[in-house]
Amino acid sequence: MANKVKINNMKMQELDIYARLSEGQLLHYNEPDTGIFIAESPTVIRLALDAGYEPISILAEEKDAEGPAREIIERCGNIPVYIGTFEALKEMTGFAMTRGVLCAMRRKTLPKAEEVCKGARRIVVLENVMNPTNVGAIFRSAAALNMDAVLLTPGCSDPLYRRAARVSMGTVFQIPWTFFDKKQIWPEQGMEILKTAGFRTAAMALSDHSIGIDDPQLTEEKKLALFLGTEGYGLTEKTIANCDYTVKIPMSHGVDSLNVAAASAVAFWEIGKKNNDSNSGEK
């Protein structure tokens, strides 16, 4: 049974993780052990629980504790459930909790990039994509459109940051992912990991040498890693030069490019739509 605690003091130390610590501080909260992240909305929390993440406490609006969040609260056992009014929670967290519930959860140790590559045929590689909304949207498209895994360079926003996980609709808990090791030289050593795992690489970039995203060469590759770069500047020249292909999405009306999240959805659809059919006979 849940241990419900009505909030009567905004300065309760137990509420620091929701109200007064940044996501960067939560990431390092238990060093050298794994840190904490905040999951928002019943959908995201449910998928995190399904994936085996351990809940620490819950912060919920009064009306949601007996409504949309009730099933989540029941699943979490005897952890503290802090209950407050909409106005109190907005004042405390600094934003309107439109989905009525937050859950502090313990992070897991991330796998190595080599582990994520095992068994995958279509991988997304994000280079310095710093906007958590874009990261979340890319994860949602990757999960929905036949991508098998996501790899991120250390300069990317963390997929478990509250906004990223919420925008992803919880798909960050459904598709394998990890960061490349900060100690590895990028892109050379990252590329070597992919090459050793049998992947050909494709950089999404505008270039005179780019091929269209619908080029048959891409769908015919048994293993393909698609690279997407940071907002505004795209992939670095060194990364593009190290890839086997340079790929673009044909534009019209004089538009030169799409937002990275929108471009990812188009690209995933094109290179992933034949993946299952073309490999269905393999054991």
Side-chain angles (χ1 to χ4, degrees):
M1 181 177 292
N3 176 21
K4 294 184 180 179
V5 181
K6 190 164 185 177
I7 298 171
N8 51 31
N9 180 0
M10 296 291 191
K11 295 183 180 180
M12 293 169 60
Q13 185 177 357
E14 296 87 347
L15 300 177
D16 285 351
I17 56 178
Y18 297 105
R20 288 172 285 276
L21 296 181
S22 69
E23 294 195 279
Q25 289 172 312
L26 293 176
L27 175 62
H28 301 286
Y29 191 79
N30 292 320
E31 285 188 335
D33 293 331
T34 55
I36 294 171
F37 68 95
I38 305 296
E40 179 184 359
S41 87
T43 296
V44 173
I45 298 168
R46 184 181 70 252
L47 290 173
L49 292 172
D50 290 346
Y53 285 86
E54 178 189 350
I56 298 169
S57 67
I58 288 175
L59 179 67
E61 189 181 344
E62 287 177 338
K63 67 178 181 63
D64 289 291
E66 296 300 328
R70 183 174 180 177
E71 179 186 351
I72 294 298
I73 291 171
E74 290 175 350
R75 283 189 63 180
C76 290
N78 191 33
I79 64 170
V81 179
Y82 301 104
I83 307 293
T85 64
F86 175 83
E87 291 76 15
L89 298 186
K90 181 179 179 181
E91 179 183 345
M92 186 177 67
T93 62
F95 61 91
M97 287 175 52
T98 55
R99 289 163 179 82
V101 58
L102 301 177
C103 183
M105 309 190 89
R106 200 174 308 280
R107 287 175 176 264
K108 295 181 180 182
T109 301
L110 290 174
K112 298 289 186 182
E114 292 87 344
E115 296 175 44
V116 171
C117 289
K118 289 179 181 178
R121 293 191 175 97
R122 295 290 183 263
I123 284 182
V124 186
V125 180
L126 303 185
E127 182 182 73
N128 301 333
V129 178
M130 295 174 282
N131 186 310
T133 298
N134 283 336
V135 169
I138 291 169
F139 264 82
R140 188 175 183 182
S141 294
L145 299 173
N146 296 309
M147 297 294 104
D148 299 316
V150 182
L151 296 175
L152 305 96
T153 65
C156 288
S157 179
D158 194 306
L160 294 187
Y161 281 174
R162 181 182 62 84
R163 183 179 294 274
R166 177 171 60 95
V167 171
S168 83
M169 292 297 290
T171 54
V172 294
F173 307 112
Q174 294 178 305
I175 186 169
W177 65 272
T178 198
F179 282 95
F180 285 104
D181 194 322
K182 291 181 180 179
K183 297 179 182 178
Q184 293 171 333
I185 299 172
W186 179 260
E188 290 85 353
Q189 289 181 288
M191 291 287 190
E192 186 59 33
I193 290 171
L194 293 167
K195 181 178 179 181
T196 300
F199 283 89
R200 299 274 282 173
T201 53
M204 293 290 295
L206 297 173
S207 165
D208 293 337
H209 305 290
S210 296
I211 62 174
I213 190 64
D214 57 350
D215 193 297
Q217 294 179 84
L218 300 175
T219 52
E220 288 170 5
E221 292 288 357
K222 289 187 176 181
K223 291 188 174 184
L224 186 70
L226 185 70
F227 285 64
L228 295 163
T230 187
E231 302 85 353
Y233 297 100
L235 294 166
T236 63
E237 291 184 6
K238 182 179 285 189
T239 295
I240 295 171
N242 275 276
C243 282
D244 298 305
Y245 299 102
T246 306
V247 183
K248 65 181 177 182
I249 298 171
M251 299 282 127
S252 63
H253 298 293
V255 177
D256 62 354
S257 64
L258 295 171
N259 164 274
V260 64
S264 73
V266 175
F268 299 162
W269 168 251
E270 283 293 343
I271 69 169
K273 63 184 180 181
K274 294 183 180 179
N275 188 33
N276 291 334
D277 291 341
S278 62
N279 295 294
S280 59
E282 295 187 11
K283 301 291 185 181

